[in-house]
Amino acid sequence: MRRTNLFLAACTSALTIGLSVPTAAKASPAAEIEQDDRQSARALLEDILKLRTAKGYGQTKAQAELLADRLRAAGFTDDQIDIPTMTIDGEEVASFLVRYPGKTGSELAPIALIAHMDVVDASTENWATDPYEPVEKDGYLYARGAVDNKAGIALLVSTFIRLKEEGYQPDRDLVIAFSGDEETGMQTTRKLTQHPWVKGAEYALNSDAGVGSVDSEGLNPSYSIQSAEKTYATFHLTARNEGGHSSAPRADNALFDIADVIDAVRSLSFPIGFNDITRQMARDLAENEGGEFAAAIETLIEDPDNKAARETIEDHEAGTHFLYTTCVPTMLSAGTAENALPQKAELTVNCRILPGTSVQSVQDALSDAVANPDISIDLVGEPLESPVSPINEELFASIRSAVHTIYPGAPVKPSMSSGGTDGKEFRAAGIPTYGAGAITLVRPDDYRAHGIDERLPLESYYDQLTFWDVLLKDIAGEDDQ
């Protein structure tokens, strides 16, 4: 690390893998945040949670303007704030940037701090509370986007406000870059990566990919630094024929053909592939599970094609899909009437592809498995292939130190996600991107992103103010003024 935080309490996964340690209690962070700052951060969060920033409601610009007003009040100037917009499916969608200038003459590259302002929509009838009216209950704040990802938005903006009011001067530019359509297309994200404040960043820290967990007793904390993501790709596999009357069945029924396709996809197996991130994840998981499983993992690290070792890990209850590409049927559409043979049957197959594996090679593998030239296999959209961010030990040490202000000694490990975030767009643009954050969810009860009754543990939210204070001052310089 370039600097050491002398006040640290201790030193030492919409997939997270980490060793569990019997940490019994949180630390009392030395970098305490004033009660007024906690209340301001809470108020900001509630204000943006009330905005329905789901696709189709046109609220991302209103949210960006709300954030801009708060930052201007803290001393940020108009030339340090930008709200680019673009039209997507007839809707104006905003992204949001704010530049916290570094010291005059600094030649250090900026650091981007990213999150997304949009949410997956939620319906009131499915929730115990109104998803767009934040409600506190039993230490949680219930609202759509409370975890994914408006807590990250409010924390980063609140931290900028507090640091500005303190007179803090970073040794390089810090740039907030919030997208407006992460959940539906990431077109604004792609634009952000080319913004002049962002495109030269040394790396990006993704608050949407920084999370930890504890067990139901609040013990065994584990945190991840997301450093890679699988490629998300969807294919439509379609069988067609002339159809006919249901009273005169025929052997080439399109649904029979699709049933064969489903069996082929079920049997499809992709090779195990390791990179710097997944190799460490595998070893951590092996250490945690032990026994025959651990031995099989070590065998696969040396010989990824070992069939017996692969059967052992796949039969184990521990999730190992981060080691290989996966393809799975998710939707089926066929027929037009109950008394007519289907003229068309379409199967949707969703694949999560290892970094370094091309989408085309997966499509070829599907074609080989189906082995039927009459089945068309069409790629949906234009999937983005994203590289693995390199191991950054100096940054990882800073993130661990910030986490340890809250949970001393908790494991903080690099990880690869099977889901998708804005991080893949930044990595594809040549900006290494890492998950950063320490919102601590109770596993599995608090894993509610995109689901009903999404909720945020409030004490963990307040702890994040300390986390970001410690982290930003470590990576962008203690104030010498």
Side-chain angles (χ1 to χ4, degrees):
M1 290 169 53
R2 182 158 37 85
R3 294 174 176 83
T4 302
N5 293 296
L6 300 179
F7 52 83
L8 292 181
C11 296
T12 304
S13 51
L15 172 68
T16 299
I17 299 293
L19 300 181
S20 293
V21 295
T23 304
K26 289 168 37 183
S28 296
E32 288 288 358
I33 302 300
E34 296 293 334
Q35 184 65 26
D36 286 350
D37 291 323
R38 290 160 61 103
Q39 291 175 350
S40 295
R42 164 78 176 270
L44 175 59
L45 175 61
E46 292 198 15
D47 285 346
I48 63 176
L49 286 170
K50 293 174 183 177
L51 295 173
R52 195 169 188 167
T53 53
K55 182 179 175 65
Y57 290 90
Q59 290 293 294
T60 53
K61 187 174 182 181
Q63 179 165 304
E65 290 173 341
L66 184 156
L67 298 174
D69 287 344
R70 302 294 172 88
L71 288 157
R72 290 189 190 101
F76 287 90
T77 57
D78 285 342
D79 64 342
Q80 295 165 351
I81 296 170
D82 193 11
I83 305 178
T85 63
M86 59 189 305
T87 301
I88 302 174
D89 297 332
E91 177 185 359
E92 185 181 38
V93 181
S95 50
F96 178 73
L97 299 105
V98 56
R99 174 177 165 263
Y100 197 139
K103 293 179 179 177
T104 302
S106 173
E107 296 182 357
L108 296 172
I111 296 169
L113 307 169
I114 69 174
H116 63 91
M117 298 189 293
D118 61 321
V119 299
V120 170
D121 203 14
S123 177
T124 302
E125 57 262 30
N126 296 327
W127 280 51
T129 61
D130 185 331
Y132 296 103
E133 286 294 333
V135 173
E136 181 179 352
K137 184 170 58 175
D138 300 326
Y140 287 92
L141 191 65
Y142 287 77
R144 169 56 86 223
V147 172
D148 186 18
N149 173 229
K150 292 192 178 183
I153 295 283
L155 287 162
L156 287 170
V157 170
S158 295
T159 299
F160 265 35
I161 289 171
R162 188 177 65 258
L163 294 178
K164 175 65 78 172
E165 291 176 343
E166 289 176 1
Y168 172 72
Q169 179 71 67
D171 63 10
R172 62 175 77 199
D173 284 3
L174 299 174
V175 180
I176 277 176
F178 296 158
S179 65
D181 68 330
E182 188 264 2
E183 299 288 6
T184 56
M186 302 191 192
Q187 293 184 54
T188 60
T189 313
R190 206 161 299 139
K191 289 277 190 178
L192 284 174
T193 66
Q194 300 306 309
H195 193 281
W197 297 349
V198 172
K199 64 182 181 181
E202 181 178 344
Y203 54 79
L205 298 179
N206 187 3
S207 71
D208 189 33
V211 69
S213 67
V214 291
D215 63 25
S216 60
E217 302 299 320
L219 306 178
N220 298 313
S222 178
Y223 297 86
S224 74
I225 305 170
Q226 187 213 70
S227 304
E229 298 175 60
K230 285 185 172 181
T231 300
Y232 180 108
T234 294
F235 299 90
H236 287 162
L237 286 74
T238 307
R240 295 180 175 86
N241 63 41
E242 296 179 359
H245 201 283
S246 63
S247 65
R250 51 192 292 170
D252 62 349
N253 186 306
L255 274 170
F256 291 161
D257 292 339
I258 285 297
D260 292 339
V261 169
I262 292 173
D263 281 341
V265 175
R266 184 204 301 267
S267 301
L268 183 59
S269 179
F270 290 90
I272 285 178
F274 289 101
N275 56 52
D276 289 345
I277 304 302
T278 58
R279 188 177 295 107
Q280 184 61 56
M281 290 171 67
R283 285 189 164 130
D284 291 342
L285 186 58
E287 183 176 343
N288 206 38
E289 298 296 321
E292 184 182 25
F293 178 88
I297 288 291
E298 289 301 327
T299 296
L300 288 169
I301 289 174
E302 297 298 324
D303 178 14
D305 297 325
N306 189 290
K307 293 182 179 180
R310 178 159 184 167
E311 288 176 0
T312 296
I313 67 163
E314 290 183 343
D315 289 342
H316 197 275
E317 62 183 11
T320 56
H321 49 274
F322 65 91
L323 292 176
Y324 41 84
T325 292
T326 62
C327 288
V328 61
T330 56
M331 299 173 68
L332 177 62
S333 173
T336 57
E338 64 184 71
N339 61 348
L341 300 177
Q343 299 175 28
K344 175 183 174 182
E346 182 179 89
L347 180 71
T348 298
V349 174
N350 182 248
C351 300
R352 305 299 176 110
I353 304 170
L354 285 179
T357 300
S358 71
V359 173
Q360 184 60 56
S361 70
V362 172
Q363 184 166 354
D364 292 343
L366 283 168
S367 179
D368 291 344
V370 169
N372 182 347
D374 293 330
I375 302 295
S376 64
I377 303 177
D378 300 305
L379 177 64
V380 179
E382 299 179 359
L384 180 70
E385 298 175 13
S386 178
V388 176
S389 296
I391 297 293
N392 186 330
E393 291 294 356
E394 182 179 10
L395 172 62
F396 290 0
S398 295
I399 293 174
R400 289 188 185 102
S401 294
V403 169
H404 290 166
T405 63
I406 303 164
Y407 275 106
V412 185
K413 301 284 187 177
S415 68
M416 182 183 72
S417 172
S418 293
T421 74
D422 286 329
K424 67 180 182 181
E425 293 284 348
F426 278 75
R427 293 186 187 99
I431 302 172
T433 303
Y434 306 92
I439 286 180
T440 308
L441 306 178
V442 176
R443 51 180 183 262
D445 294 346
D446 291 346
Y447 295 171
R448 304 186 182 193
H450 295 195
I452 62 171
D453 298 333
E454 182 179 354
R455 65 186 191 179
L456 171 73
L458 279 168
E459 194 59 36
S460 181
Y461 175 73
Y462 298 137
D463 286 341
Q464 283 275 276
L465 295 169
T466 298
F467 170 87
W468 283 107
D469 187 276
V470 170
L471 179 59
L472 294 187
K473 289 177 179 176
D474 197 22
I475 62 177
E478 292 287 1
D479 193 3
D480 297 326
Q481 295 182 3

